[in-house]
Amino acid sequence: MKTCARFERIKSGYERDITYLSNHSRRSAGTTAAKTSATNALAVKSRMAKALGRHFERCPICG
């Protein structure tokens, strides 16, 4: 699958956020903040899928 630079930029930004939230969750295991970070990481994954899907539909290079 060929993708454009913008697709990669969008994906890397979301992946960076997911990694940060997941790492925070692991470091703070057992706390309320860890549970919130884990939940937020799942929400960000969902938003990433939607954003990349929208981009893929509209981009002439990716689609």
Side-chain angles (χ1 to χ4, degrees):
M1 170 169 86
K2 184 179 179 187
T3 57
C4 67
R6 183 158 191 233
F7 182 93
E8 295 301 325
R9 194 171 56 246
I10 293 168
K11 184 178 175 184
S12 68
Y14 277 108
E15 287 176 339
R16 184 176 50 244
D17 292 344
I18 291 166
T19 301
Y20 174 80
L21 291 167
S22 297
N23 288 341
H24 179 265
S25 179
R26 275 188 237 111
R27 280 193 312 269
S28 308
T31 65
T32 304
K35 293 175 187 173
T36 301
S37 289
T39 302
N40 287 342
L42 291 174
V44 171
K45 283 182 185 180
S46 175
R47 284 193 298 259
M48 178 179 74
K50 288 178 185 177
L52 293 177
R54 275 192 310 268
H55 172 82
F56 195 78
E57 288 175 355
R58 294 183 172 103
C59 181
I61 297 169
C62 295

